[in-house]
Amino acid sequence: MARVSWGGIFPVLVTPFGADGSINETRYKALIDDAIANGAQGVVAAGSTGEFYALTKAERARLFKLAVDHAARRVPVLAGVADLRVEDVLEACQSAVAAGCAGGLILPPIYAMPSPREVVAFFAHISRNTPLPLMLYNSPRRAKIELTPALVEQLSALRTVVAIKDSSGDITQVSELVQRVGDNLRVFVGYETMIVPARAVGAHGVIAMAHQIAGPLIRAYWDKALSGDKALEDLGRDVCALYRCFQSGSYYAAIKETMSQLGRDAGGPRLPLLPLADEQKAAIAKIIADAGLERWAKA
């Protein structure tokens, strides 16, 4: 398969829900427009931040199609295709292909905790059975599986594997990934807080969470990461403040609450997550006020 040229900031879109729990498609399209206007070079539909685990198959397929149609080739759209059953992963891949997605973001098998041999067999099976270009997703905290650089190097030989998102939080691992597979795969990190060290070791992009809340901040942080600009320290401080907001409750619920407090409402989360408690909301409000984050939401 031809290599891809993905790089830069790819925000994982939240899935906005209305008061009745249905997907707010108008708000979803606005999020896509905002992301592109603020310098995103791609978007991810129905990823983890998009609460893929709480969506029906039909809803995920609808989000894939909605994102592709509304992006209208302005940026590539990646589909979150992770699931429990191998057959359901392939069905999500088929929906992504039908929608016209540029690729799929795929976790290793969830819950089963397979051995490295079984992980390779899983990805090989998916690769054989879909033409969708795949971005591997290393999320050891959530998947309980570590896609090590050596294992990623082995997986890079698969026909449809074109990229890796590493959410290990380990810059040494990111550096090794770049050295081992950077000529063949596009290497992304999973946290905007890692932009500066990741760019310094040659990573190609970030799969972003905070960009859809404070796009100008994340774009400036990305652009200045290698410049040595004196403003970089202040930008980094604000990025870290946003991530402290996210840590004030269950991550994906806290992201939505932070968005709401900064005037970018996307509704609440779906079960099993709950809207944040009052004390958690207050903690986020204090972080926002102390760091002056309102200026980025209005930029």
Side-chain angles (χ1 to χ4, degrees):
M1 171 170 287
R3 300 292 95 179
V4 296
S5 58
W6 302 337
I9 303 164
F10 279 50
V12 186
L13 301 169
V14 300
T15 303
F17 299 122
D20 63 354
S22 63
I23 295 173
N24 184 337
E25 295 190 358
T26 300
R27 187 75 187 101
Y28 195 70
K29 289 187 283 189
L31 291 174
I32 293 169
D33 288 336
D34 285 349
I36 295 170
N38 286 320
Q41 286 122 319
V43 296
V44 181
S48 298
T49 305
E51 299 175 78
F52 78 85
Y53 51 81
L55 300 171
T56 67
K57 295 177 185 178
E59 286 174 327
R60 289 173 75 176
R62 174 59 184 157
L63 287 175
F64 298 162
K65 180 64 171 169
L66 185 64
V68 169
D69 287 350
H70 194 68
R73 299 188 179 182
R74 289 177 289 172
V75 296
V77 174
L78 304 187
V81 297
D83 218 315
L84 274 167
R85 297 173 66 247
V86 173
E87 294 81 3
D88 291 339
V89 174
L90 283 172
E91 185 174 337
C93 290
Q94 290 165 1
S95 295
V97 171
C101 292
L105 181 60
I106 181 170
L107 285 163
I110 301 170
Y111 189 82
M113 297 180 68
S115 68
R117 180 177 69 91
E118 291 162 332
V119 169
V120 171
F122 164 78
F123 283 117
H125 179 78
I126 300 299
S127 183
R128 283 194 303 270
N129 286 282
T130 180
L132 186 70
L134 299 174
M135 176 183 283
L136 307 175
Y137 181 6
N138 181 40
S139 184
R141 178 169 170 261
R142 293 185 180 274
K144 304 302 180 185
I145 296 291
E146 180 78 52
L147 297 182
T148 65
L151 185 53
V152 172
E153 186 173 26
Q154 188 176 352
L155 294 170
S156 70
L158 296 175
R159 180 179 60 89
T160 58
V161 171
V162 298
I164 169 75
K165 171 190 176 183
D166 185 82
S167 290
S168 67
D170 183 346
I171 193 59
T172 301
Q173 177 154 310
V174 174
S175 180
E176 187 176 351
L177 279 169
V178 171
Q179 293 170 25
R180 282 180 177 261
V181 302
D183 289 341
N184 295 319
L185 304 186
R186 304 298 281 182
V187 177
F188 285 68
V189 291
Y191 305 109
E192 285 122 316
T193 51
M194 292 189 68
I195 282 175
V196 171
R199 291 207 68 189
V201 299
H204 303 101
V206 57
I207 303 296
M209 291 181 286
H211 181 269
Q212 63 198 308
I213 305 172
L217 166 63
I218 302 305
R219 182 73 234 189
Y221 198 49
W222 175 269
D223 289 343
K224 293 179 182 295
L226 301 180
S227 69
D229 192 308
K230 291 182 179 179
L232 197 59
E233 184 177 345
D234 290 337
L235 294 172
R237 188 178 298 115
D238 287 349
V239 173
C240 288
L242 278 170
Y243 271 71
R244 288 199 303 277
C245 290
F246 303 163
Q247 293 160 2
S248 298
S250 297
Y251 229 72
Y252 307 132
I255 288 172
K256 282 189 165 180
E257 176 60 30
T258 305
M259 292 180 72
S260 178
Q261 291 197 26
L262 289 172
R264 298 181 180 274
D265 186 51
R270 278 185 179 173
L271 288 171
L273 301 186
L274 295 171
L276 267 57
D278 288 345
E279 60 270 22
Q280 294 171 314
K281 294 179 181 180
I284 288 175
K286 186 176 188 307
I287 294 169
I288 289 173
D290 289 349
L293 295 177
E294 298 93 340
R295 70 187 185 281
W296 292 113
K298 295 174 183 176

